[in-house]
Amino acid sequence: MASANPFNSILKTLEKPQGGEFGKYYSLPALNDPRIDKLPYSIKILLESAIRNCDEFQVKSEDVEKIIDWENTSPKQVEIPFKPGRVLLQDFTGVPAVVDLACMRDAMNKLGGDSNKINPLVPVDLVIDHSVQVDVARSENAVQANMELEFQRNKERFAFLKWGSNAFDNMLVVPPGSGIVHQVNLEYLGRVVFNTNGVLYPDSVVGTDSHTTMIDGLGVAGWGVGGIEAEAAMLGQPMSMVLPGVVGFKLLGKLRDGVTATDLVLTVTQMLRKHGVVGKFIEFYGEGMSELSLADRATIANMSPEYGATMGFFPVDHVTLQYLQLTGRSDETIAMIESYLRANNMFVDYNEPQIEKVYSSYLQLKLEEVEPCISGPKRPHDRVPLKEMKADWHACLDNRVGFKGFAIPKESQDKVAKFSFHGTPAELRHGDVVIAAITSCTNTSNPSVMLGAALVAKKACELGLEVKPWIKTSLAPGSGVVTKYLQKSGLQRYLNQLGFHIVGYGCTTCIGNSGDIDESVASAISENDMVAAAVLSGNRNFEGRVHPLTRANYLASPPLVVAYALAGTVDIDFEAAPIGTGKDGKKIFFRDIWPSSEEVANVVQSSVLPDMFKATYEAITKGNPMWNQLSVPSGSLYAWSPTSTYIHEPPYFKDMTMSPPGPHGVKDAYCLLNFGDSITTDHISPAGSIHKDSPAAKFLLEHGVDRRDFNSYGSRRGNDEIMARGTFANIRLVNKLLKGEVGPKTIHIPTGEKLSVYDAAMRYKTAGQDTIILAGAEYGSGSSRDWAAKGPMLLGVKAVIAKSFERIHRSNLVGMGIIPLCFKSGEDADTLGLTGHERYTIDLPSCVSEIRPGQDVTVATDSDRSFTCTVRFDTEVELAYFNHGGILQYVIRNLIGSKQ
C-alpha cells in the first residue's frame, strides 16, 4: 500500500562551509514553485514534513499540493496528515502511554513476534513535573520536604516510568525535581533541526499538555494534543489535522521602561481573543521582533491556549541562535541549524530584504503602547491595566456573579474578618491576598521577570517592608538554572526574606497544586464568606483551579506578584496609595521598589551564563537520590502487579490473533446513554477527585485503599479498572434516559433499573449485549482526552451516533475501534422519534474493501423505524485501523509483518 517517496528527486546534500557535509535534506526551493515563497514559515514546516513522509498511503502527493496551495485551500477546512518530529509527555499523560507500550510488548510476545520491536518510532521526551504539591512553604527546607511527600504519594508511578525509561529505546525520562516540562523543552530538549540517519529536517513536536506551544518561541512548531494522538505519533502514525489559517501579527517598536513580558503577553492574549483565532496559527513578524528576547517570545507562545490559537509561532532568526548559544547547544549544532534553515528559506534575516508573506488576516501592535497590567479575577484574557485595578476590583464586588462579578452587597463590602494566626491577631478583608506564587512555565523561564522580582524583593527588604505571615508565598522555578542565576546575582536571599523560598521544581499553584492554606485563614474565609485573592505568575486563573477558597485569582508578572504580596491586597491603586510603611516610618510607594528596565538588563547580563545551563542539564540525566534509589525490574516485559491500584494491564489485546477481525457491525444493541448537544470530553473522561460514592471509590475501598489515599483520577490514569469506572461519572451529566435528573446514572433498559453508568455497562457486557450512545451536536468537544475514547471502549460501547463530532475526538473513537456515525442533516434522535429504549442494528460490509470513507449506512431499530447515517471513517488509514480493531492492534500486526 505504501510506495517510494515521489519527492526523492529534491533530496539534496547540505555542505559544511569548511568542507564535508551536514547531511541530506528535502529542498523546498528545488520544487521551483513560486507559491512556496509566499507561505508563512509555520506552514512551510507542515509542507516539509508532508514531502519527507510522502508514501502515497499515509501521506499522499495530493496532501503536499494542498499545503503548497495553502492560500486557496486553508479557507476550505481541508484535512491533511502530519507526522511530528517528536512527542513530549508529562507524568500524568506519560503513564498511560507507557502502559500501552508495555501491553503492546506483551501482545507481540504472545503472538510470537519480537517484543523488542515495540519502541517509539519518533523520540519521546517525558518530563515528570505535575506531582509537586506546595505542602511546605516559607521554609529553607521546602524543596526537600515537598519532594519527600511527592515520592511518598507517587512512588509506584515513578518506578513504572523509570522502568519504561530503561525498557524502551527512543524514550528519555526526565526525573521529578528537574523542572517544568515546557521550560526543560525550551532550554534543553528542543532540537530546532533534527539530523536523523543523515537526513536533516525541522524539529516539530506534539505534547500532551496544552502549553507545549511554549516551544514555538524557539521556532519549533509545537502544540498540545490528546493522549491517543500522542501515542499514534509515537508509533509513526500520521495525525489528521485541518490545514489552519495563519494570522500575521506584526510587532513594532519596543516596550517602555518598566513594562514586562508578562504585561505584553496579557495584552496580546486579549487582542487575539477579541480577533478570534481558534484553530489558527499565529505567526509573529515585524521590526519589533529584534527587541524581544527569546524568553519574551516563549512567554507569548506559551499562552497560545489562553488566546485560543493552535500555536503562536516565532520563526528562527539571529535571536534564536543567540539563545541556543546561551543555553549550551554546541557551535557545530548551531551552525547546522542555521545552514539548513537558510538553505530551505526558513530562516529570517532582518538584514536582508523580506519577501512579503501572505496571511489569512493581520494584526498589529506597537510595543510602546503596552502598559503594566494583570488579568482576572476569573479568566486569563480579562486584562486590567494596573492603574485601573482598584476601580475594577470594586466593580467586581458590585457586579452580579459572573466572570467579572461576585455580587457582594454594598453593606458587606467593608466587612472585616478577625482571626488569630498562631496567637497573633489578624484581619481579612475582601480582596486580601492569601496566596502569592511565582510559578508556571509561562514566566519562570524568563530571566528578566524572575530577576525583576528579585530586585523588587531587594528594594523592599532594604526599605523595611514585610509580607504578612499568613500569606502563602512560594517560588517554583521551571528549572535548576533559575536557582543558579538567582544565587549568582545574590538576590535569592531577599526573596527568602519575604517568604518566597523555593518550594520545588515543577507545576505548582498554576495547576492547583497550591497545597493547603493555614487552617485559621481558611476558617476566616469560609465562616465570613470573604472573597480572598490569589496572585500568581501563571497562565490560568479559572475559578476553583488555583485553590477552592480563592474566588479571585489574578495573573501577574513575578515582580507584580511580589508587589501584591507586600501590599497584602488587590484593592489598591499603586499610583496613589502606599504599598506599606518602611522601617523609618516613611510611606513606601510602588515606584520606590520597581526596578528600571536597565537595572534588570544589567543583572541578567551579569548573572545568566551558558555554564549554568550546561551544568544543570548534565546533572538532569543523572537524577536525584530519591529517583536513583527507586528499585525497578530490569526486564523488557513489565511484571504487572495484580494488587496495584495505580498500574494495571488493560485488556486491549485480550484474545488478539494475527488475523485482523475485520469490520464489525452492531446487532440489537441497547442505548447506554442518550445525550443532547455539547457533551464535552470533561463529561466523558474521568477527571478531578474521586467522589466517595462513585464506582471508582467502591473499587478502591474493596482493594484496601483508605479514602484519604484515593488521590485523583489523573494520578491513577495508568489503571484501566479505575478509569473505566470513572468514565461518564461527571456529576453534571444530563442523560435523556433519566428524564430531567442530572448525574452519572442511566437506565438499564431490559430491567428499567437506575444504575451508575459503569454498573449498567457491565450488566450489558456480562449478558453479551452490545451498546451504543446517542448524542447531539459537537459530541466530544473540549480538550482532547485519551480516556474519553478508551473509557467508552472498555464499557463495551460499539458505536456513537451523533449530529456532529469534535474532529479529534471522532478520530480517537476510530483509534479505539468505536464506530462514529452522523445523523443526516436536519435529523437527530428527537426528530426521528428515538427515545433510547429501542434496540439498534448497524449493518456494515464484512470486508473492509467494500467500505468507503464517508459512505451511508442504514441503522435499523426493533420499533420498525430505520434511518440513514454517514459512517465517519474519513480516510483509508482510519479504515485500516478499524479493520484491525484499533490503532494499537494495527501497529502490532504491521510490525510482525502481517498483511494490511
Side-chain angles (χ1 to χ4, degrees), residues 122-159:
V122 301
V124 174
D125 301 318
L126 195 162
V127 182
I128 303 175
D129 76 336
H130 267 48
S131 305
V132 185
Q133 288 275 356
V134 187
D135 292 297
V136 180
R138 300 188 77 141
S139 163
E140 296 282 357
N141 302 315
V143 173
Q144 183 67 20
N146 287 324
M147 187 175 282
E148 287 174 2
L149 289 166
E150 181 183 357
F151 268 79
Q152 285 173 25
R153 292 186 186 111
N154 299 285
K155 184 177 180 180
E156 194 175 341
R157 292 194 309 121
F158 290 173

mmCIF file of all heavy atoms in Angstrom, residues 122-159:
data_model
loop_
_atom_site.group_PDB
_atom_site.id
_atom_site.type_symbol
_atom_site.label_atom_id
_atom_site.label_comp_id
_atom_site.label_asym_id
_atom_site.label_seq_id
_atom_site.Cartn_x
_atom_site.Cartn_y
_atom_site.Cartn_z
ATOM 1 N N VAL A 122 9.439 7.673 16.956
ATOM 2 C CA VAL A 122 9.994 9.026 16.990
ATOM 3 C C VAL A 122 10.452 9.283 18.423
ATOM 4 O O VAL A 122 9.968 8.634 19.355
ATOM 5 C CB VAL A 122 8.968 10.098 16.552
ATOM 6 C CG1 VAL A 122 8.478 9.837 15.140
ATOM 7 C CG2 VAL A 122 7.800 10.169 17.520
ATOM 8 N N PRO A 123 11.402 10.188 18.638
ATOM 9 C CA PRO A 123 11.866 10.440 20.001
ATOM 10 C C PRO A 123 10.723 10.879 20.918
ATOM 11 O O PRO A 123 9.874 11.685 20.538
ATOM 12 C CB PRO A 123 12.875 11.581 19.820
ATOM 13 C CG PRO A 123 13.347 11.451 18.407
ATOM 14 C CD PRO A 123 12.162 10.959 17.628
ATOM 15 N N VAL A 124 10.703 10.326 22.120
ATOM 16 C CA VAL A 124 9.720 10.679 23.139
ATOM 17 C C VAL A 124 10.466 11.259 24.340
ATOM 18 O O VAL A 124 11.368 10.620 24.889
ATOM 19 C CB VAL A 124 8.889 9.456 23.572
ATOM 20 C CG1 VAL A 124 7.985 9.814 24.742
ATOM 21 C CG2 VAL A 124 8.066 8.930 22.405
ATOM 22 N N ASP A 125 10.109 12.478 24.715
ATOM 23 C CA ASP A 125 10.687 13.137 25.883
ATOM 24 C C ASP A 125 9.604 13.220 26.952
ATOM 25 O O ASP A 125 8.547 13.810 26.721
ATOM 26 C CB ASP A 125 11.170 14.541 25.527
ATOM 27 C CG ASP A 125 12.223 14.533 24.422
ATOM 28 O OD1 ASP A 125 13.107 13.662 24.459
ATOM 29 O OD2 ASP A 125 12.154 15.392 23.519
ATOM 30 N N LEU A 126 9.844 12.610 28.110
ATOM 31 C CA LEU A 126 8.846 12.556 29.177
ATOM 32 C C LEU A 126 9.423 13.242 30.415
ATOM 33 O O LEU A 126 10.437 12.803 30.955
ATOM 34 C CB LEU A 126 8.480 11.099 29.477
ATOM 35 C CG LEU A 126 7.213 10.821 30.291
ATOM 36 C CD1 LEU A 126 6.775 9.367 30.116
ATOM 37 C CD2 LEU A 126 7.383 11.107 31.774
ATOM 38 N N VAL A 127 8.793 14.332 30.830
ATOM 39 C CA VAL A 127 9.267 15.102 31.984
ATOM 40 C C VAL A 127 8.267 14.951 33.124
ATOM 41 O O VAL A 127 7.085 15.263 32.963
ATOM 42 C CB VAL A 127 9.438 16.591 31.618
ATOM 43 C CG1 VAL A 127 9.972 17.372 32.826
ATOM 44 C CG2 VAL A 127 10.381 16.752 30.424
ATOM 45 N N ILE A 128 8.740 14.461 34.263
ATOM 46 C CA ILE A 128 7.865 14.262 35.426
ATOM 47 C C ILE A 128 7.797 15.578 36.196
ATOM 48 O O ILE A 128 8.735 15.955 36.898
ATOM 49 C CB ILE A 128 8.396 13.134 36.327
ATOM 50 C CG1 ILE A 128 8.528 11.827 35.517
ATOM 51 C CG2 ILE A 128 7.473 12.922 37.532
ATOM 52 C CD1 ILE A 128 9.160 10.681 36.282
ATOM 53 N N ASP A 129 6.681 16.301 36.037
ATOM 54 C CA ASP A 129 6.620 17.653 36.623
ATOM 55 C C ASP A 129 5.276 18.021 37.232
ATOM 56 O O ASP A 129 5.117 19.116 37.759
ATOM 57 C CB ASP A 129 6.975 18.688 35.555
ATOM 58 C CG ASP A 129 5.842 18.932 34.562
ATOM 59 O OD1 ASP A 129 4.988 18.037 34.385
ATOM 60 O OD2 ASP A 129 5.806 20.013 33.952
ATOM 61 N N HIS A 130 4.272 17.126 37.157
ATOM 62 C CA HIS A 130 2.921 17.505 37.580
ATOM 63 C C HIS A 130 2.570 17.046 38.993
ATOM 64 O O HIS A 130 1.419 17.140 39.392
ATOM 65 C CB HIS A 130 1.888 16.941 36.594
ATOM 66 C CG HIS A 130 1.524 17.908 35.514
ATOM 67 N ND1 HIS A 130 2.463 18.588 34.796
ATOM 68 C CD2 HIS A 130 0.322 18.298 35.027
ATOM 69 C CE1 HIS A 130 1.855 19.353 33.900
ATOM 70 N NE2 HIS A 130 0.564 19.209 34.034
ATOM 71 N N SER A 131 3.551 16.556 39.746
ATOM 72 C CA SER A 131 3.228 15.931 41.026
ATOM 73 C C SER A 131 3.656 16.744 42.237
ATOM 74 O O SER A 131 3.497 16.316 43.371
ATOM 75 C CB SER A 131 3.895 14.553 41.092
ATOM 76 O OG SER A 131 3.525 13.779 39.974
ATOM 77 N N VAL A 132 4.226 17.942 42.015
ATOM 78 C CA VAL A 132 4.711 18.757 43.136
ATOM 79 C C VAL A 132 3.537 19.470 43.804
ATOM 80 O O VAL A 132 2.815 20.220 43.153
ATOM 81 C CB VAL A 132 5.726 19.815 42.649
ATOM 82 C CG1 VAL A 132 6.303 20.567 43.846
ATOM 83 C CG2 VAL A 132 6.838 19.175 41.850
ATOM 84 N N GLN A 133 3.346 19.238 45.083
ATOM 85 C CA GLN A 133 2.350 19.966 45.868
ATOM 86 C C GLN A 133 3.077 20.925 46.807
ATOM 87 O O GLN A 133 4.089 20.551 47.413
ATOM 88 C CB GLN A 133 1.508 19.003 46.719
ATOM 89 C CG GLN A 133 0.526 18.167 45.927
ATOM 90 C CD GLN A 133 -0.789 18.889 45.680
ATOM 91 O OE1 GLN A 133 -1.012 19.984 46.155
ATOM 92 N NE2 GLN A 133 -1.659 18.256 44.921
ATOM 93 N N VAL A 134 2.571 22.150 46.926
ATOM 94 C CA VAL A 134 3.187 23.107 47.852
ATOM 95 C C VAL A 134 2.644 22.828 49.252
ATOM 96 O O VAL A 134 1.842 23.586 49.801
ATOM 97 C CB VAL A 134 2.923 24.564 47.420
ATOM 98 C CG1 VAL A 134 3.725 25.520 48.302
ATOM 99 C CG2 VAL A 134 3.300 24.774 45.964
ATOM 100 N N ASP A 135 3.045 21.694 49.813
ATOM 101 C CA ASP A 135 2.623 21.356 51.175
ATOM 102 C C ASP A 135 3.399 22.183 52.184
ATOM 103 O O ASP A 135 2.868 22.607 53.205
ATOM 104 C CB ASP A 135 2.846 19.860 51.427
ATOM 105 C CG ASP A 135 1.917 18.993 50.603
ATOM 106 O OD1 ASP A 135 0.702 19.092 50.803
ATOM 107 O OD2 ASP A 135 2.402 18.244 49.744
ATOM 108 N N VAL A 136 4.676 22.396 51.892
ATOM 109 C CA VAL A 136 5.540 23.162 52.788
ATOM 110 C C VAL A 136 6.001 24.412 52.051
ATOM 111 O O VAL A 136 6.519 24.329 50.936
ATOM 112 C CB VAL A 136 6.767 22.327 53.230
ATOM 113 C CG1 VAL A 136 7.661 23.150 54.162
ATOM 114 C CG2 VAL A 136 6.317 21.043 53.914
ATOM 115 N N ALA A 137 5.789 25.579 52.651
ATOM 116 C CA ALA A 137 6.214 26.841 52.061
ATOM 117 C C ALA A 137 6.875 27.696 53.136
ATOM 118 O O ALA A 137 6.845 27.356 54.322
ATOM 119 C CB ALA A 137 5.023 27.578 51.453
ATOM 120 N N ARG A 138 7.486 28.803 52.725
ATOM 121 C CA ARG A 138 8.143 29.751 53.635
ATOM 122 C C ARG A 138 9.117 29.036 54.569
ATOM 123 O O ARG A 138 9.123 29.238 55.775
ATOM 124 C CB ARG A 138 7.100 30.543 54.446
ATOM 125 C CG ARG A 138 6.161 31.340 53.554
ATOM 126 C CD ARG A 138 5.248 32.273 54.298
ATOM 127 N NE ARG A 138 5.970 33.473 54.732
ATOM 128 C CZ ARG A 138 5.467 34.700 54.709
ATOM 129 N NH1 ARG A 138 4.239 34.902 54.262
ATOM 130 N NH2 ARG A 138 6.178 35.730 55.121
ATOM 131 N N SER A 139 9.925 28.150 53.966
ATOM 132 C CA SER A 139 10.877 27.369 54.750
ATOM 133 C C SER A 139 12.123 27.103 53.921
ATOM 134 O O SER A 139 12.034 26.849 52.715
ATOM 135 C CB SER A 139 10.247 26.038 55.177
ATOM 136 O OG SER A 139 11.247 25.119 55.587
ATOM 137 N N GLU A 140 13.282 27.130 54.576
ATOM 138 C CA GLU A 140 14.539 26.832 53.883
ATOM 139 C C GLU A 140 14.564 25.373 53.405
ATOM 140 O O GLU A 140 15.288 25.017 52.489
ATOM 141 C CB GLU A 140 15.730 27.075 54.827
ATOM 142 C CG GLU A 140 15.908 28.516 55.265
ATOM 143 C CD GLU A 140 16.545 29.393 54.206
ATOM 144 O OE1 GLU A 140 16.898 28.866 53.136
ATOM 145 O OE2 GLU A 140 16.670 30.607 54.440
ATOM 146 N N ASN A 141 13.764 24.520 54.054
ATOM 147 C CA ASN A 141 13.768 23.083 53.730
ATOM 148 C C ASN A 141 12.588 22.677 52.851
ATOM 149 O O ASN A 141 12.275 21.498 52.745
ATOM 150 C CB ASN A 141 13.730 22.263 55.026
ATOM 151 C CG ASN A 141 14.900 22.584 55.940
ATOM 152 O OD1 ASN A 141 16.039 22.681 55.476
ATOM 153 N ND2 ASN A 141 14.631 22.761 57.228
ATOM 154 N N ALA A 142 11.928 23.659 52.235
ATOM 155 C CA ALA A 142 10.695 23.346 51.490
ATOM 156 C C ALA A 142 10.913 22.377 50.345
ATOM 157 O O ALA A 142 10.101 21.455 50.136
ATOM 158 C CB ALA A 142 10.080 24.637 50.967
ATOM 159 N N VAL A 143 12.003 22.561 49.593
ATOM 160 C CA VAL A 143 12.228 21.701 48.421
ATOM 161 C C VAL A 143 12.320 20.244 48.838
ATOM 162 O O VAL A 143 11.632 19.372 48.283
ATOM 163 C CB VAL A 143 13.514 22.118 47.666
ATOM 164 C CG1 VAL A 143 13.824 21.118 46.551
ATOM 165 C CG2 VAL A 143 13.351 23.508 47.067
ATOM 166 N N GLN A 144 13.164 19.939 49.824
ATOM 167 C CA GLN A 144 13.355 18.561 50.257
ATOM 168 C C GLN A 144 12.075 17.997 50.861
ATOM 169 O O GLN A 144 11.678 16.856 50.563
ATOM 170 C CB GLN A 144 14.499 18.489 51.271
ATOM 171 C CG GLN A 144 14.844 17.084 51.752
ATOM 172 C CD GLN A 144 15.425 16.209 50.654
ATOM 173 O OE1 GLN A 144 15.909 16.715 49.639
ATOM 174 N NE2 GLN A 144 15.367 14.901 50.841
ATOM 175 N N ALA A 145 11.406 18.786 51.699
ATOM 176 C CA ALA A 145 10.184 18.304 52.350
ATOM 177 C C ALA A 145 9.098 17.985 51.338
ATOM 178 O O ALA A 145 8.429 16.943 51.410
ATOM 179 C CB ALA A 145 9.689 19.356 53.348
ATOM 180 N N ASN A 146 8.907 18.883 50.363
ATOM 181 C CA ASN A 146 7.864 18.648 49.352
ATOM 182 C C ASN A 146 8.213 17.475 48.447
ATOM 183 O O ASN A 146 7.332 16.717 48.033
ATOM 184 C CB ASN A 146 7.652 19.916 48.513
ATOM 185 C CG ASN A 146 6.929 20.997 49.293
ATOM 186 O OD1 ASN A 146 6.060 20.723 50.092
ATOM 187 N ND2 ASN A 146 7.305 22.249 49.063
ATOM 188 N N MET A 147 9.510 17.305 48.139
ATOM 189 C CA MET A 147 9.889 16.183 47.280
ATOM 190 C C MET A 147 9.696 14.846 47.991
ATOM 191 O O MET A 147 9.271 13.861 47.376
ATOM 192 C CB MET A 147 11.336 16.336 46.808
ATOM 193 C CG MET A 147 11.711 15.282 45.768
ATOM 194 S SD MET A 147 13.361 15.492 45.067
ATOM 195 C CE MET A 147 13.043 16.804 43.924
ATOM 196 N N GLU A 148 9.975 14.813 49.289
ATOM 197 C CA GLU A 148 9.750 13.570 50.040
ATOM 198 C C GLU A 148 8.278 13.182 50.020
ATOM 199 O O GLU A 148 7.926 12.004 49.835
ATOM 200 C CB GLU A 148 10.253 13.734 51.483
ATOM 201 C CG GLU A 148 11.774 13.726 51.584
ATOM 202 C CD GLU A 148 12.275 14.043 52.982
ATOM 203 O OE1 GLU A 148 11.428 14.240 53.894
ATOM 204 O OE2 GLU A 148 13.511 14.091 53.164
ATOM 205 N N LEU A 149 7.400 14.179 50.203
ATOM 206 C CA LEU A 149 5.962 13.902 50.139
ATOM 207 C C LEU A 149 5.547 13.477 48.736
ATOM 208 O O LEU A 149 4.703 12.584 48.562
ATOM 209 C CB LEU A 149 5.175 15.150 50.567
ATOM 210 C CG LEU A 149 5.243 15.486 52.063
ATOM 211 C CD1 LEU A 149 4.729 16.885 52.313
ATOM 212 C CD2 LEU A 149 4.433 14.471 52.867
ATOM 213 N N GLU A 150 6.144 14.114 47.729
ATOM 214 C CA GLU A 150 5.842 13.773 46.335
ATOM 215 C C GLU A 150 6.187 12.317 46.045
ATOM 216 O O GLU A 150 5.411 11.581 45.417
ATOM 217 C CB GLU A 150 6.652 14.706 45.426
ATOM 218 C CG GLU A 150 6.440 14.502 43.941
ATOM 219 C CD GLU A 150 7.343 15.414 43.115
ATOM 220 O OE1 GLU A 150 8.089 16.227 43.680
ATOM 221 O OE2 GLU A 150 7.288 15.286 41.886
ATOM 222 N N PHE A 151 7.335 11.861 46.536
ATOM 223 C CA PHE A 151 7.743 10.475 46.297
ATOM 224 C C PHE A 151 6.886 9.502 47.094
ATOM 225 O O PHE A 151 6.582 8.403 46.617
ATOM 226 C CB PHE A 151 9.232 10.291 46.625
ATOM 227 C CG PHE A 151 10.118 10.503 45.432
ATOM 228 C CD1 PHE A 151 10.436 11.777 45.007
ATOM 229 C CD2 PHE A 151 10.619 9.424 44.715
ATOM 230 C CE1 PHE A 151 11.241 11.988 43.901
ATOM 231 C CE2 PHE A 151 11.426 9.611 43.607
ATOM 232 C CZ PHE A 151 11.745 10.902 43.188
ATOM 233 N N GLN A 152 6.476 9.888 48.319
ATOM 234 C CA GLN A 152 5.586 9.006 49.094
ATOM 235 C C GLN A 152 4.285 8.753 48.342
ATOM 236 O O GLN A 152 3.799 7.623 48.266
ATOM 237 C CB GLN A 152 5.279 9.635 50.453
ATOM 238 C CG GLN A 152 6.410 9.576 51.460
ATOM 239 C CD GLN A 152 6.094 10.366 52.723
ATOM 240 O OE1 GLN A 152 4.921 10.563 53.065
ATOM 241 N NE2 GLN A 152 7.125 10.845 53.403
ATOM 242 N N ARG A 153 3.698 9.812 47.770
ATOM 243 C CA ARG A 153 2.407 9.690 47.098
ATOM 244 C C ARG A 153 2.512 8.957 45.766
ATOM 245 O O ARG A 153 1.573 8.299 45.335
ATOM 246 C CB ARG A 153 1.821 11.082 46.821
ATOM 247 C CG ARG A 153 1.410 11.869 48.038
ATOM 248 C CD ARG A 153 0.711 13.152 47.610
ATOM 249 N NE ARG A 153 0.426 14.010 48.748
ATOM 250 C CZ ARG A 153 1.015 15.178 48.988
ATOM 251 N NH1 ARG A 153 1.916 15.643 48.154
ATOM 252 N NH2 ARG A 153 0.701 15.882 50.054
ATOM 253 N N ASN A 154 3.626 9.118 45.092
ATOM 254 C CA ASN A 154 3.698 8.717 43.687
ATOM 255 C C ASN A 154 4.781 7.690 43.380
ATOM 256 O O ASN A 154 5.163 7.510 42.229
ATOM 257 C CB ASN A 154 3.933 9.960 42.820
ATOM 258 C CG ASN A 154 2.819 10.967 42.952
ATOM 259 O OD1 ASN A 154 1.734 10.787 42.415
ATOM 260 N ND2 ASN A 154 3.077 12.039 43.691
ATOM 261 N N LYS A 155 5.270 7.023 44.425
ATOM 262 C CA LYS A 155 6.399 6.110 44.260
ATOM 263 C C LYS A 155 6.140 5.053 43.195
ATOM 264 O O LYS A 155 6.997 4.754 42.357
ATOM 265 C CB LYS A 155 6.702 5.436 45.602
ATOM 266 C CG LYS A 155 7.916 4.528 45.570
ATOM 267 C CD LYS A 155 8.202 3.957 46.962
ATOM 268 C CE LYS A 155 9.418 3.039 46.925
ATOM 269 N NZ LYS A 155 9.704 2.468 48.266
ATOM 270 N N GLU A 156 4.924 4.505 43.198
ATOM 271 C CA GLU A 156 4.611 3.425 42.255
ATOM 272 C C GLU A 156 4.609 3.920 40.811
ATOM 273 O O GLU A 156 5.148 3.279 39.912
ATOM 274 C CB GLU A 156 3.247 2.826 42.614
ATOM 275 C CG GLU A 156 2.985 1.497 41.930
ATOM 276 C CD GLU A 156 1.682 0.872 42.404
ATOM 277 O OE1 GLU A 156 1.182 1.243 43.475
ATOM 278 O OE2 GLU A 156 1.169 0.014 41.659
ATOM 279 N N ARG A 157 4.016 5.099 40.595
ATOM 280 C CA ARG A 157 4.011 5.673 39.234
ATOM 281 C C ARG A 157 5.425 6.010 38.784
ATOM 282 O O ARG A 157 5.801 5.763 37.635
ATOM 283 C CB ARG A 157 3.144 6.936 39.200
ATOM 284 C CG ARG A 157 1.674 6.706 39.378
ATOM 285 C CD ARG A 157 0.847 7.919 38.992
ATOM 286 N NE ARG A 157 1.283 9.144 39.622
ATOM 287 C CZ ARG A 157 1.685 10.233 38.972
ATOM 288 N NH1 ARG A 157 1.713 10.229 37.657
ATOM 289 N NH2 ARG A 157 2.051 11.313 39.616
ATOM 290 N N PHE A 158 6.207 6.597 39.684
ATOM 291 C CA PHE A 158 7.571 6.967 39.328
ATOM 292 C C PHE A 158 8.401 5.732 38.965
ATOM 293 O O PHE A 158 9.176 5.751 38.012
ATOM 294 C CB PHE A 158 8.235 7.727 40.481
ATOM 295 C CG PHE A 158 7.685 9.113 40.717
ATOM 296 C CD1 PHE A 158 8.090 9.855 41.819
ATOM 297 C CD2 PHE A 158 6.765 9.682 39.846
ATOM 298 C CE1 PHE A 158 7.601 11.133 42.051
ATOM 299 C CE2 PHE A 158 6.255 10.957 40.066
ATOM 300 C CZ PHE A 158 6.674 11.678 41.171
ATOM 301 N N ALA A 159 8.250 4.673 39.752
ATOM 302 C CA ALA A 159 9.006 3.445 39.478
ATOM 303 C C ALA A 159 8.640 2.869 38.114
ATOM 304 O O ALA A 159 9.505 2.373 37.375
ATOM 305 C CB ALA A 159 8.741 2.417 40.580
#
